[in-house]
Amino acid sequence: MALTKLEIDRIEPGEKQIKVTDGQGLYLLVMPNGAKYWRLKYRFAGKEKVLALGVYPDVSLKAARSRRDDARRLLADGQDPGEQKKKVERERLIEAASTFKAVADEWWHKMSAEWAPRHARAVYRSLEIHLFPKLGSRPINDISAMELLMVLQEVERAGNHDTARRLRERCNAIWRRAVKTGRAAANPAADLVDELIKPVSKPQPSLTQDELPAFMGALATNEHITLQTKYLVKLVMICFTRIGETVRATWADFDLGAGLWTIPPETRKLKRALKAAAAPHVVPLPSQAIEIIKQLQMHRVEGSDYVFPSFRYRNRHMSEATPLKAFERMGYGGNNTENGHVVTHGFRATASTILNEAGFNPDAIERQLSHQEPNKVRAAYNRAQYMDERRAMLQCWADYLEKIEQGEDVALLAAVHA
């Protein structure tokens, strides 16, 4: 007997599954928890099979019978309705995985394993802001070069030339993945390499040798900058380390007896995939740097492992932006650039320029800057060979900075070097 909606609604679940037949292989499977599933029993190639047709009442009695009839037509044409359903589901999954956003997400998850977390977040945010709103839901194979160019040019018109260039590079990598996996026939981003305005690279603002005395004097005498911030700036200037590495320094990183500061790979500016295999960056400490650390020890914050702890947030280090606020008060940054513009990364350029001009070994300078050496054998040699040379060089550099801070007339570092 064919079922009716009233009969289906009156079916009470039992302790075991209940099978209620409708006809032509269609039946309703009632579970002990009350759930009701439509099933179709059929034979194909001599084997008995069962096809799921949906859940009642989401799939009504009328809809279930329509699906049964569709399946029987496939059987009449010599096709297995179960295999046909799997094929449709596979195509639906492939279609869902073939949008620009789906491919971009795959690419980002793969690449973010090699990137620093902050960089990974910034890359994804750029996709969310500039690309996903207009391209995210589109099949990646349907997006033309002209359509992509219009999106990138909109970013350019907002004055973000460097962002547009980086977005094109990311799109190029995303489409390469799509082409390799058969979800796109061509890479439109590759054809746009020369279609965007090339940004003019600007060097990090840095001090010249002639400008150092005034800056050092302003730092020493400014009463609106905390002693901790002054020590931070001076340590960065003496050792020309990166600001991120410096504010993350812990007390365990310093061996004052040996005069060494060991910067572990996890706090260095390295791709995530390289951190595990990378060696720590060991910085020889001049006497002035050792004195700074000793002074900071006298004001050590209980319970904090950081040499430069945050006084606002417990168990955190100082912000990398703290020196920039200090430079603004000194007239060297932000909205107050009466003396020029300075950023912490610029101290590395200042030190490198002056030391190279003074005749110090360029390889020792590069090693102190912690620039990555692509040749592993040479990198190991550099670490061993230049430690004594770097120690002497940094002591000479620290002496030079101390002399000009005290107002002594030191025209050239070469004079101190000699």
Short mmCIF file of all heavy atoms in Angstrom, two decimals, residues 374-417:
data_model
loop_
_atom_site.label_atom_id
_atom_site.label_comp_id
_atom_site.label_asym_id
_atom_site.label_seq_id
_atom_site.Cartn_x
_atom_site.Cartn_y
_atom_site.Cartn_z
N PRO A 374 73.32 32.65 2.07
CA PRO A 374 72.73 31.51 1.37
C PRO A 374 73.62 30.27 1.35
O PRO A 374 73.12 29.16 1.27
CB PRO A 374 72.50 32.05 -0.05
CG PRO A 374 73.44 33.20 -0.19
CD PRO A 374 73.56 33.79 1.18
N ASN A 375 74.93 30.48 1.42
CA ASN A 375 75.84 29.35 1.41
C ASN A 375 76.03 28.86 2.84
O ASN A 375 76.59 29.55 3.69
CB ASN A 375 77.20 29.80 0.82
CG ASN A 375 78.16 28.64 0.65
OD1 ASN A 375 78.41 27.90 1.60
ND2 ASN A 375 78.67 28.48 -0.55
N LYS A 376 75.56 27.63 3.15
CA LYS A 376 75.58 27.12 4.52
C LYS A 376 77.00 26.95 5.04
O LYS A 376 77.27 27.19 6.21
CB LYS A 376 74.83 25.79 4.59
CG LYS A 376 73.34 25.91 4.34
CD LYS A 376 72.63 24.58 4.48
CE LYS A 376 71.14 24.73 4.24
NZ LYS A 376 70.44 23.43 4.37
N VAL A 377 77.91 26.51 4.18
CA VAL A 377 79.30 26.33 4.61
C VAL A 377 79.91 27.67 4.96
O VAL A 377 80.57 27.84 5.99
CB VAL A 377 80.12 25.63 3.50
CG1 VAL A 377 81.59 25.56 3.90
CG2 VAL A 377 79.57 24.24 3.23
N ARG A 378 79.66 28.67 4.11
CA ARG A 378 80.18 30.01 4.35
C ARG A 378 79.55 30.61 5.60
O ARG A 378 80.22 31.30 6.37
CB ARG A 378 79.92 30.90 3.14
CG ARG A 378 80.43 32.32 3.30
CD ARG A 378 80.22 33.10 2.01
NE ARG A 378 80.46 34.52 2.21
CZ ARG A 378 81.66 35.10 2.19
NH1 ARG A 378 82.73 34.36 1.99
NH2 ARG A 378 81.79 36.39 2.38
N ALA A 379 78.26 30.32 5.83
CA ALA A 379 77.57 30.84 7.01
C ALA A 379 78.21 30.31 8.28
O ALA A 379 78.44 31.04 9.25
CB ALA A 379 76.09 30.48 6.96
N ALA A 380 78.51 29.01 8.31
CA ALA A 380 79.14 28.41 9.47
C ALA A 380 80.54 28.99 9.68
O ALA A 380 80.97 29.26 10.81
CB ALA A 380 79.23 26.90 9.30
N TYR A 381 81.26 29.24 8.59
CA TYR A 381 82.59 29.83 8.67
C TYR A 381 82.52 31.23 9.24
O TYR A 381 83.31 31.62 10.11
CB TYR A 381 83.21 29.85 7.27
CG TYR A 381 84.56 30.55 7.21
CD1 TYR A 381 85.73 29.88 7.58
CD2 TYR A 381 84.65 31.88 6.80
CE1 TYR A 381 86.95 30.52 7.52
CE2 TYR A 381 85.87 32.52 6.75
CZ TYR A 381 87.02 31.84 7.10
OH TYR A 381 88.23 32.47 7.06
N ASN A 382 81.52 31.99 8.75
CA ASN A 382 81.37 33.37 9.22
C ASN A 382 81.12 33.45 10.71
O ASN A 382 81.64 34.30 11.42
CB ASN A 382 80.21 34.05 8.48
CG ASN A 382 80.60 34.41 7.04
OD1 ASN A 382 81.75 34.28 6.66
ND2 ASN A 382 79.62 34.86 6.27
N ARG A 383 80.25 32.53 11.20
CA ARG A 383 79.93 32.55 12.63
C ARG A 383 81.19 32.32 13.48
O ARG A 383 81.38 32.93 14.52
CB ARG A 383 78.88 31.47 12.95
CG ARG A 383 77.48 31.86 12.57
CD ARG A 383 76.47 30.95 13.23
NE ARG A 383 76.55 29.59 12.75
CZ ARG A 383 75.91 29.13 11.69
NH1 ARG A 383 75.14 29.94 11.00
NH2 ARG A 383 76.01 27.88 11.33
N ALA A 384 82.04 31.42 13.02
CA ALA A 384 83.24 31.10 13.78
C ALA A 384 84.34 32.14 13.58
O ALA A 384 85.05 32.51 14.51
CB ALA A 384 83.76 29.72 13.37
N GLN A 385 84.48 32.62 12.35
CA GLN A 385 85.63 33.43 11.99
C GLN A 385 85.53 34.88 12.46
O GLN A 385 86.53 35.48 12.82
CB GLN A 385 85.81 33.41 10.46
CG GLN A 385 87.05 34.15 9.97
CD GLN A 385 88.33 33.42 10.32
OE1 GLN A 385 88.28 32.26 10.74
NE2 GLN A 385 89.46 34.07 10.16
N TYR A 386 84.33 35.43 12.50
CA TYR A 386 84.21 36.86 12.70
C TYR A 386 83.84 37.28 14.12
O TYR A 386 83.63 38.47 14.35
CB TYR A 386 83.18 37.43 11.72
CG TYR A 386 83.59 37.27 10.27
CD1 TYR A 386 82.71 36.71 9.35
CD2 TYR A 386 84.84 37.66 9.83
CE1 TYR A 386 83.08 36.55 8.03
CE2 TYR A 386 85.22 37.51 8.52
CZ TYR A 386 84.33 36.94 7.61
OH TYR A 386 84.71 36.79 6.31
N MET A 387 83.74 36.36 15.06
CA MET A 387 83.32 36.74 16.40
C MET A 387 84.29 37.72 17.04
O MET A 387 83.89 38.77 17.56
CB MET A 387 83.15 35.51 17.27
CG MET A 387 82.71 35.83 18.70
SD MET A 387 81.18 36.79 18.79
CE MET A 387 79.99 35.55 18.27
N ASP A 388 85.58 37.41 17.03
CA ASP A 388 86.56 38.32 17.64
C ASP A 388 86.60 39.65 16.91
O ASP A 388 86.71 40.72 17.53
CB ASP A 388 87.95 37.68 17.63
CG ASP A 388 88.04 36.50 18.58
OD1 ASP A 388 87.17 36.39 19.48
OD2 ASP A 388 88.96 35.67 18.41
N GLU A 389 86.49 39.59 15.59
CA GLU A 389 86.53 40.81 14.80
C GLU A 389 85.29 41.67 15.08
O GLU A 389 85.37 42.89 15.17
CB GLU A 389 86.60 40.45 13.31
CG GLU A 389 86.93 41.62 12.42
CD GLU A 389 87.22 41.18 10.99
OE1 GLU A 389 87.29 39.96 10.74
OE2 GLU A 389 87.39 42.07 10.13
N ARG A 390 84.14 41.03 15.21
CA ARG A 390 82.91 41.76 15.52
C ARG A 390 82.96 42.36 16.92
O ARG A 390 82.47 43.47 17.15
CB ARG A 390 81.70 40.84 15.38
CG ARG A 390 81.35 40.50 13.95
CD ARG A 390 80.40 39.32 13.89
NE ARG A 390 79.22 39.55 14.71
CZ ARG A 390 78.53 38.57 15.31
NH1 ARG A 390 78.93 37.32 15.19
NH2 ARG A 390 77.46 38.86 16.02
N ARG A 391 83.55 41.64 17.86
CA ARG A 391 83.65 42.15 19.23
C ARG A 391 84.47 43.44 19.25
O ARG A 391 84.09 44.44 19.88
CB ARG A 391 84.27 41.09 20.15
CG ARG A 391 84.26 41.51 21.62
CD ARG A 391 84.95 40.45 22.48
NE ARG A 391 84.19 39.21 22.52
CZ ARG A 391 83.15 38.98 23.31
NH1 ARG A 391 82.73 39.93 24.13
NH2 ARG A 391 82.53 37.81 23.28
N ALA A 392 85.60 43.43 18.57
CA ALA A 392 86.45 44.62 18.51
C ALA A 392 85.74 45.76 17.78
O ALA A 392 85.82 46.93 18.18
CB ALA A 392 87.77 44.29 17.83
N MET A 393 85.03 45.42 16.70
CA MET A 393 84.33 46.43 15.91
C MET A 393 83.21 47.09 16.73
O MET A 393 83.07 48.32 16.73
CB MET A 393 83.74 45.78 14.66
CG MET A 393 82.92 46.72 13.78
SD MET A 393 82.19 45.87 12.35
CE MET A 393 80.95 44.83 13.18
N LEU A 394 82.41 46.27 17.45
CA LEU A 394 81.32 46.82 18.24
C LEU A 394 81.82 47.66 19.40
O LEU A 394 81.20 48.66 19.76
CB LEU A 394 80.42 45.70 18.76
CG LEU A 394 79.43 45.10 17.76
CD1 LEU A 394 78.46 44.18 18.48
CD2 LEU A 394 78.65 46.17 17.02
N GLN A 395 82.92 47.27 20.00
CA GLN A 395 83.48 48.06 21.09
C GLN A 395 83.93 49.43 20.57
O GLN A 395 83.70 50.47 21.19
CB GLN A 395 84.65 47.34 21.74
CG GLN A 395 85.19 48.04 22.99
CD GLN A 395 84.12 48.22 24.06
OE1 GLN A 395 83.60 47.25 24.58
NE2 GLN A 395 83.81 49.48 24.40
N CYS A 396 84.54 49.40 19.38
CA CYS A 396 84.97 50.65 18.76
C CYS A 396 83.76 51.54 18.43
O CYS A 396 83.76 52.75 18.65
CB CYS A 396 85.77 50.34 17.50
SG CYS A 396 86.44 51.80 16.69
N TRP A 397 82.70 50.92 17.92
CA TRP A 397 81.48 51.64 17.57
C TRP A 397 80.82 52.22 18.82
O TRP A 397 80.38 53.38 18.83
CB TRP A 397 80.54 50.69 16.83
CG TRP A 397 79.17 51.20 16.54
CD1 TRP A 397 78.00 50.72 17.02
CD2 TRP A 397 78.82 52.28 15.67
NE1 TRP A 397 76.93 51.42 16.52
CE2 TRP A 397 77.41 52.40 15.68
CE3 TRP A 397 79.56 53.18 14.90
CZ2 TRP A 397 76.73 53.36 14.95
CZ3 TRP A 397 78.87 54.14 14.16
CH2 TRP A 397 77.48 54.22 14.19
N ALA A 398 80.77 51.44 19.89
CA ALA A 398 80.16 51.91 21.14
C ALA A 398 80.98 53.05 21.73
O ALA A 398 80.42 54.02 22.27
CB ALA A 398 80.05 50.75 22.13
N ASP A 399 82.28 52.95 21.65
CA ASP A 399 83.14 54.04 22.14
C ASP A 399 82.87 55.32 21.36
O ASP A 399 82.81 56.42 21.93
CB ASP A 399 84.62 53.66 21.99
CG ASP A 399 85.03 52.55 22.95
OD1 ASP A 399 84.29 52.29 23.92
OD2 ASP A 399 86.07 51.91 22.70
N TYR A 400 82.71 55.17 20.05
CA TYR A 400 82.44 56.31 19.18
C TYR A 400 81.12 56.98 19.56
O TYR A 400 81.05 58.21 19.70
CB TYR A 400 82.43 55.84 17.74
CG TYR A 400 81.93 56.85 16.74
CD1 TYR A 400 82.70 57.96 16.41
CD2 TYR A 400 80.69 56.70 16.12
CE1 TYR A 400 82.25 58.90 15.49
CE2 TYR A 400 80.24 57.63 15.20
CZ TYR A 400 81.02 58.72 14.89
OH TYR A 400 80.58 59.66 13.98
N LEU A 401 80.06 56.18 19.73
CA LEU A 401 78.76 56.75 20.11
C LEU A 401 78.83 57.43 21.47
O LEU A 401 78.22 58.49 21.67
CB LEU A 401 77.70 55.64 20.12
CG LEU A 401 77.33 55.02 18.78
CD1 LEU A 401 76.31 53.89 18.97
CD2 LEU A 401 76.77 56.07 17.81
N GLU A 402 79.58 56.84 22.39
CA GLU A 402 79.71 57.42 23.72
C GLU A 402 80.42 58.77 23.65
O GLU A 402 80.03 59.73 24.33
CB GLU A 402 80.47 56.47 24.63
CG GLU A 402 80.55 56.93 26.08
CD GLU A 402 81.26 55.91 26.95
OE1 GLU A 402 82.34 55.41 26.53
OE2 GLU A 402 80.74 55.61 28.03
N LYS A 403 81.43 58.85 22.83
CA LYS A 403 82.20 60.10 22.72
C LYS A 403 81.34 61.22 22.13
O LYS A 403 81.37 62.36 22.62
CB LYS A 403 83.45 59.88 21.86
CG LYS A 403 84.53 59.06 22.55
CD LYS A 403 85.73 58.86 21.63
CE LYS A 403 86.80 58.02 22.30
NZ LYS A 403 87.39 58.70 23.47
N ILE A 404 80.57 60.92 21.09
CA ILE A 404 79.79 62.00 20.49
C ILE A 404 78.60 62.36 21.38
O ILE A 404 78.14 63.51 21.38
CB ILE A 404 79.30 61.64 19.06
CG1 ILE A 404 78.39 60.42 19.06
CG2 ILE A 404 80.49 61.42 18.14
CD1 ILE A 404 77.80 60.15 17.69
N GLU A 405 78.10 61.40 22.19
CA GLU A 405 77.04 61.73 23.14
C GLU A 405 77.55 62.69 24.20
O GLU A 405 76.81 63.57 24.66
CB GLU A 405 76.51 60.45 23.79
CG GLU A 405 75.39 60.70 24.79
CD GLU A 405 74.96 59.43 25.52
OE1 GLU A 405 75.57 58.37 25.28
OE2 GLU A 405 74.01 59.52 26.32
N GLN A 406 78.82 62.53 24.56
CA GLN A 406 79.42 63.39 25.57
C GLN A 406 79.90 64.72 24.99
O GLN A 406 80.47 65.54 25.70
CB GLN A 406 80.60 62.66 26.23
CG GLN A 406 80.16 61.46 27.04
CD GLN A 406 81.34 60.62 27.52
OE1 GLN A 406 82.48 60.85 27.12
NE2 GLN A 406 81.05 59.65 28.39
N GLY A 407 79.69 64.90 23.69
CA GLY A 407 80.02 66.17 23.05
C GLY A 407 81.45 66.28 22.58
O GLY A 407 81.91 67.37 22.22
N GLU A 408 82.17 65.17 22.58
CA GLU A 408 83.56 65.22 22.11
C GLU A 408 83.58 65.36 20.59
O GLU A 408 82.70 64.87 19.88
CB GLU A 408 84.31 63.95 22.53
CG GLU A 408 84.49 63.83 24.04
CD GLU A 408 85.39 62.67 24.41
OE1 GLU A 408 86.28 62.34 23.59
OE2 GLU A 408 85.22 62.11 25.50
N ASP A 409 84.59 66.02 20.08
CA ASP A 409 84.73 66.27 18.65
C ASP A 409 85.44 65.09 18.01
O ASP A 409 86.65 65.03 17.94
CB ASP A 409 85.53 67.56 18.41
CG ASP A 409 85.56 67.93 16.94
OD1 ASP A 409 84.78 67.34 16.17
OD2 ASP A 409 86.37 68.80 16.58
N VAL A 410 84.64 64.13 17.56
CA VAL A 410 85.19 62.96 16.89
C VAL A 410 84.72 63.04 15.44
O VAL A 410 83.58 62.71 15.11
CB VAL A 410 84.69 61.64 17.53
CG1 VAL A 410 85.36 60.44 16.87
CG2 VAL A 410 84.95 61.67 19.03
N ALA A 411 85.57 63.50 14.57
CA ALA A 411 85.16 63.76 13.20
C ALA A 411 84.87 62.48 12.43
O ALA A 411 83.89 62.38 11.71
CB ALA A 411 86.26 64.57 12.47
N LEU A 412 85.70 61.48 12.63
CA LEU A 412 85.54 60.23 11.88
C LEU A 412 85.73 59.04 12.80
O LEU A 412 86.56 59.06 13.70
CB LEU A 412 86.56 60.15 10.73
CG LEU A 412 86.39 61.15 9.58
CD1 LEU A 412 87.59 61.05 8.64
CD2 LEU A 412 85.11 60.90 8.82
N LEU A 413 84.97 58.01 12.54
CA LEU A 413 85.16 56.79 13.32
C LEU A 413 86.54 56.21 13.05
O LEU A 413 87.10 55.56 13.93
CB LEU A 413 84.07 55.76 12.91
CG LEU A 413 84.14 54.42 13.62
CD1 LEU A 413 83.88 54.59 15.12
CD2 LEU A 413 83.15 53.43 13.04
N ALA A 414 87.07 56.47 11.90
CA ALA A 414 88.38 55.94 11.58
C ALA A 414 89.42 56.38 12.61
O ALA A 414 90.36 55.65 12.91
CB ALA A 414 88.81 56.39 10.17
N ALA A 415 89.25 57.59 13.16
CA ALA A 415 90.18 58.07 14.16
C ALA A 415 90.12 57.22 15.41
O ALA A 415 91.15 56.92 16.04
CB ALA A 415 89.87 59.52 14.50
N VAL A 416 88.92 56.79 15.80
CA VAL A 416 88.78 55.92 16.95
C VAL A 416 89.30 54.53 16.61
O VAL A 416 89.94 53.86 17.41
CB VAL A 416 87.30 55.85 17.39
CG1 VAL A 416 87.12 54.95 18.61
CG2 VAL A 416 86.77 57.24 17.69
N HIS A 417 89.01 54.10 15.41
CA HIS A 417 89.43 52.77 14.94
C HIS A 417 90.94 52.66 15.00
O HIS A 417 91.49 51.62 15.37
CB HIS A 417 88.89 52.55 13.53
CG HIS A 417 89.21 51.21 12.94
ND1 HIS A 417 89.31 50.08 13.70
CD2 HIS A 417 89.43 50.85 11.67
CE1 HIS A 417 89.58 49.05 12.92
NE2 HIS A 417 89.67 49.51 11.66
#
